[in-house]
Amino acid sequence: FSAIKSRNDVVIDPTSGTGTFLNSFYNTLQFFGNKNHQQILNQIWGNDISHFPATLSVINLYKQKVDDTANFPRVIRKDFFSITPSQTIAIPDNKNIDKINQIPIPKFDAVVSNFPFIQQEDIPNEILNTHFESEFAKTQTAFLNGNKFDINGKSDYYIYCFYNSLKFLKDNGVLSAITSNAWLGKNYGLQFKKFLLDNFHIKYIVKSNAEHWFSDSKVSTIFSVFQHSINDEPTKFVTINFKLEEYFEQENIATQLKQIEEFYG
């Protein structure tokens, strides 16, 4: 509800893993009144670099309506940094499954993800720096030091995922992600914050005092929501003092989504 605003929104999780967020997108679009299975599948996109998680993303969306013979979720299996808007992917036709359509990747109303956490020494910084120099050198002053283009080499991997998401967003589109909170205090966060302020309205920074959102991780996580627009509305720093599963209904999805809607309201 921080990102998807209507039944017609088109949304992507660019590092979708096994498809947890993709299923949430499906339920949210249904909650907003979109009951057409094929139309919902057309509005939900996923991507993962690894074969097995990408396959599970497809299966988990397929299970929403297993009796539909034209059940082809739009899940890509590529490196997120290698795909671009307007690039085409092959999708079987909804009515004639022997026909393959080349569908262009659109720009999105929302990009929502749990960006991967990768140790700094495993990040291909030089490759990514070159990648973004060709894309940002003349448009993003956050990365310019005099005439030199340079992204802080100590940036976490998820920071690059934020940078790469910009080109996939429509004007006023929303970028939401769960990440480490390190950028709020680390030196590389200064560059990231300038990038954000140059391109986004920072809507929410949400943390929990009641629990770790990932029980098997010691990383302190936050949920951030950025809108691809510039305005003077205040940023809301939100601290949650209750456990999510104790506050929101766990059995009835429609009730849970109503509670989440009221929470954001």
Side-chain angles (χ1 to χ4, degrees):
F1 288 96
S2 63
I4 299 175
K5 300 301 183 184
S6 80
R7 59 183 292 172
N8 298 315
D9 281 4
V10 182
V11 60
I12 186 171
D13 180 350
T15 56
S16 60
T18 59
T20 300
F21 278 18
L22 303 185
N23 279 285
S24 295
F25 303 159
Y26 190 100
N27 292 330
T28 303
L29 290 170
Q30 279 201 323
F31 178 81
F32 281 127
N34 190 339
K35 304 300 183 182
N36 185 315
H37 175 69
Q38 285 298 328
Q39 183 60 43
I40 294 176
L41 289 188
N42 291 346
Q43 293 171 224
I44 295 174
W45 291 68
N47 176 71
D48 201 273
I49 193 171
S50 299
H51 183 274
F52 186 58
T55 300
L56 288 177
S57 283
V58 171
I59 292 171
N60 283 325
L61 274 179
Y62 171 86
K63 289 194 303 183
Q64 294 284 355
K65 194 172 182 182
V66 295
D67 60 344
D68 194 321
T69 57
N71 206 346
F72 298 106
R74 298 185 175 192
V75 177
I76 310 164
R77 187 174 68 85
K78 291 183 179 293
D79 181 349
F80 178 36
F81 298 99
S82 72
I83 62 175
T84 59
S86 76
Q87 179 180 339
T88 60
I89 64 168
I91 295 287
D93 189 83
N94 286 343
K95 296 180 179 179
N96 179 7
I97 62 175
D98 293 323
K99 177 184 177 183
I100 302 297
N101 295 322
Q102 295 295 326
I103 307 296
I105 301 172
K107 287 202 171 186
F108 295 92
D109 297 287
V111 176
V112 184
S113 196
N114 171 22
F115 290 138
F117 183 83
I118 297 175
Q119 291 183 332
Q120 183 183 323
E121 56 268 27
D122 296 327
I123 299 172
N125 298 97
E126 291 185 9
I127 294 173
L128 290 173
N129 200 75
T130 301
H131 170 86
F132 286 112
E133 183 172 12
S134 64
E135 185 172 330
F136 283 156
K138 296 180 180 179
T139 60
Q140 298 295 333
T141 60
F143 308 127
L144 296 179
N145 183 5
N147 293 323
K148 182 181 179 182
F149 182 93
D150 186 48
I151 295 179
N152 191 308
K154 294 185 178 180
S155 299
D156 285 330
Y157 186 78
Y158 65 82
I159 298 293
Y160 293 101
C161 293
F162 279 113
Y163 296 153
N164 203 54
S165 296
L166 178 64
K167 62 176 170 282
F168 290 95
L169 281 172
K170 298 177 182 178
D171 289 341
N172 293 314
V174 176
L175 171 55
S176 301
I178 301 174
T179 67
S180 158
N181 69 353
W183 65 269
L184 292 172
K186 292 290 183 69
N187 186 53
Y188 68 75
L190 296 175
Q191 185 180 64
F192 179 49
K193 291 170 193 173
K194 176 167 174 51
F195 170 82
L196 292 177
L197 293 172
D198 286 345
N199 295 279
F200 294 94
H201 162 54
I202 304 173
K203 295 188 68 175
Y204 303 107
I205 304 293
V206 184
K207 71 172 185 176
S208 175
N209 274 351
E211 61 183 334
H212 282 285
W213 285 328
F214 299 102
S215 58
D216 58 346
S217 172
K218 295 182 180 179
V219 175
S220 295
T221 50
I222 55 173
F223 178 57
S224 307
V225 181
F226 311 125
Q227 187 167 21
H228 187 22
S229 65
I230 305 298
N231 64 54
D232 295 327
E233 294 180 6
T235 296
K236 296 180 180 179
F237 292 87
V238 181
T239 299
I240 299 175
N241 292 313
F242 53 81
K243 294 184 177 180
L244 298 182
E245 66 176 12
E246 295 176 358
Y247 187 86
F248 297 115
E249 168 67 40
Q250 298 300 304
E251 301 297 327
N252 187 303
I253 295 298
T255 300
Q256 181 189 88
L257 291 173
K258 182 63 176 176
Q259 290 174 326
I260 294 173
E261 182 182 44
E262 292 170 351
F263 174 75
Y264 274 103

